[in-house]
Amino acid sequence: MSLSLPGETDWSAFTLLDHHRVSLLRSIKEAPREETRIGETGPSNNICQITSSEILGAIENVIQDIVTSLARNKAPVLILVNRSDWGNIQFKDSVGLQMISHYTTRKIKSDCPKSAPKFALMLKILSVIYKMVQNNTYATKRDIYYSDTLLFGSQSVVDNIVNDISCMLKIPRRSLHILSTTKGCIAGNLSYTEEDGTKVNCTCSATGKGVPDLNTRLLVRKLWDTCHIPIFTLMDADPHGIEIMCIYKYGSVSMSFEAHHLTVPAIRWLGLLPSDIERLNIRKDALIPLTKQDQNKLASMQKRPYMTCQPMWKKEMEIMAASKMKAEIQALTSLSSDYLSRVYLPSKLQFGGWI
């Protein structure tokens, strides 16, 4: 995902971008105010900070319920939200995919052979979080996994449990003192100051190197909240690229409980558009046939709730489905080695070639 400007001064391009920025600001002012919940970013860009004592209290409440069940000779259970269930998700244009208030849940039982291992691992990670909050220390999910690889089995197990705990406690993951391993990259003429006073010099172009991690999404959202600058996505013209763009713009089902401070609905799709492939007459040998998995993913994405308000996106996806071909951004080099930076991006920005 990137925000790009022409290499040479082009006032018509800047004028168009400024008009786009003004329209985005107008939409912000016209948007209805929403209630801000603990740990979430509200309409005024204020964050209700959750305190260490509140985090510890939330964990203690979980443990107290377990102890109470044991005292009553009942097998303890942990109740988790079905994060992957589309039935628990609603689409709101100003937020993206967010969890409904009357969501369905599932029980992790301590006396069930199938769920008991997860019950134990959740308690283990809850104890790790509790100690870190007490001592004001931090760890990455990878640190937690490598603290006992035989116990956890795989990194994905840790990742999933951390998200389940965050959702269960209704506390943003970053407040649990668990960090993501650095993945995204950022570069350009931008600097900002963290809440703790740390000054960071970075950006006008950001990449999550594939599916964006939490830190990259938070940073892109921070750029939007702070600067209200136009933000465009530059992706491969394939189902995976479109999926990445949708995560930045509307969020993901599994992290819908944190949508309020992760999504940037103002994002626009700059390229590579499936319609660009035919328009630019890109050579067939630079294209890649869609796999059956690609076709299934494309068909599934076209049915998502936010596609009803994105008819142009849906049209582009229909073009891809009809052609049964996909293209990486690198396919533009078949036109010339510097076509992307010299022609494609400047022209797109100058003439408003985004959707």
Side-chain angles (χ1 to χ4, degrees):
M1 195 245 7
S2 21
L3 169 66
S4 304
L5 295 176
E8 299 178 357
T9 302
D10 188 328
W11 294 111
S12 60
F14 285 116
T15 299
L16 192 61
L17 287 171
D18 193 53
H19 286 168
H20 180 50
R21 181 174 183 273
V22 170
S23 68
L24 292 174
L25 289 173
R26 188 182 299 117
S27 67
I28 292 175
K29 293 177 182 178
E30 294 173 352
R33 295 180 65 85
E34 299 179 13
E35 178 183 357
T36 302
R37 286 175 268 177
I38 289 178
E40 291 182 342
T41 303
S44 61
N45 194 32
N46 292 324
I47 297 179
C48 298
Q49 294 293 338
I50 185 167
T51 64
S52 295
S53 59
E54 288 173 319
I55 300 171
L56 296 177
I59 296 175
E60 288 167 359
N61 288 337
V62 172
I63 302 305
Q64 183 176 351
D65 288 342
I66 292 174
V67 172
T68 300
S69 295
L70 291 172
R72 295 174 178 173
N73 291 321
K74 294 181 179 180
V77 299
L78 294 173
I79 299 179
L80 305 181
V81 178
N82 288 321
R83 293 189 295 112
S84 60
D85 184 359
W86 277 93
N88 281 338
I89 308 300
Q90 67 178 357
F91 170 68
K92 194 168 186 179
D93 190 49
S94 61
V95 178
L97 300 176
Q98 62 178 3
M99 190 164 288
I100 59 178
S101 57
H102 49 286
Y103 47 74
T104 62
T105 60
R106 58 193 173 95
K107 293 181 179 180
I108 306 298
K109 300 179 180 180
S110 60
D111 62 344
C112 173
K114 186 176 180 179
S115 61
K118 180 163 184 175
F119 184 94
L121 291 178
M122 289 192 69
L123 291 187
K124 169 66 175 178
I125 294 180
L126 278 170
S127 70
V128 171
I129 294 171
Y130 194 89
K131 291 176 182 178
M132 289 194 300
V133 174
Q134 274 188 322
N135 300 325
N136 194 28
T137 56
Y138 292 80
T140 65
K141 293 183 295 182
R142 197 164 181 80
D143 291 333
I144 295 175
Y145 167 62
Y146 277 106
S147 68
D148 197 331
T149 57
L150 293 179
L151 175 65
F152 294 116
S154 70
Q155 182 68 61
S156 62
V157 169
V158 174
D159 297 348
N160 188 55
I161 288 177
V162 168
N163 288 337
D164 278 336
I165 288 175
S166 175
C167 187
M168 178 181 69
L169 299 179
K170 295 182 173 57
I171 297 174
R173 197 180 76 193
R174 64 188 185 280
S175 297
L176 299 177
H177 288 226
I178 297 178
L179 309 174
S180 296
T181 304
T182 301
K183 175 186 175 186
C185 294
I186 197 161
N189 296 320
L190 180 73
S191 63
Y192 68 92
T193 304
E194 292 280 8
E195 294 170 5
D196 62 1
T198 303
K199 291 185 178 180
V200 180
N201 295 316
C202 55
T203 346
C204 266
S205 179
T207 174
K209 293 184 178 180
V211 177
D213 62 350
L214 185 63
N215 290 340
T216 304
R217 293 175 64 187
L218 285 169
L219 179 56
V220 173
R221 174 58 186 260
K222 188 178 185 70
L223 287 173
W224 165 243
D225 283 337
T226 305
C227 306
H228 299 308
I229 52 177
I231 299 178
F232 304 104
T233 56
L234 179 64
M235 307 292 185
D236 292 332
D238 63 15
H240 186 64
I242 298 173
E243 176 76 276
I244 292 171
M245 174 178 61
C246 290
I247 291 175
Y248 278 111
K249 187 175 179 71
Y250 294 128
S252 61
V253 174
S254 62
M255 293 293 287
S256 61
F257 62 96
E258 286 203 58
H260 284 77
H261 52 260
L262 289 177
T263 60
V264 186
I267 281 177
R268 296 292 181 263
W269 188 3
L270 186 66
L272 181 65
L273 302 179
S275 59
D276 290 336
I277 296 173
E278 182 176 355
R279 180 177 63 85
L280 298 174
N281 197 26
I282 296 176
R283 297 198 317 262
K284 295 292 185 182
D285 61 3
L287 306 180
I288 306 169
L290 289 177
T291 64
K292 185 62 177 178
Q293 184 178 8
D294 288 333
Q295 295 177 46
N296 291 339
K297 186 174 187 63
L298 198 57
S300 175
M301 291 175 65
Q302 290 177 356
K303 298 176 183 177
R304 292 185 183 177
Y306 44 72
M307 285 302 169
T308 57
C309 66
Q310 291 291 352
M312 295 300 292
W313 284 22
K314 194 166 185 180
K315 184 177 180 181
E316 292 291 335
M317 295 168 74
E318 289 170 351
I319 292 173
M320 184 186 298
S323 70
K324 295 185 178 180
M325 301 296 284
K326 59 185 178 180
E328 298 178 345
I329 297 172
Q330 288 80 359
L332 293 173
T333 60
S334 65
L335 302 175
S336 71
S337 60
D338 60 349
Y339 190 85
L340 175 65
S341 59
R342 182 177 58 84
V343 179
Y344 185 81
L345 290 177
S347 298
K348 283 272 186 172
L349 293 170
Q350 179 177 354
F351 299 109
W354 57 78
I355 59 177

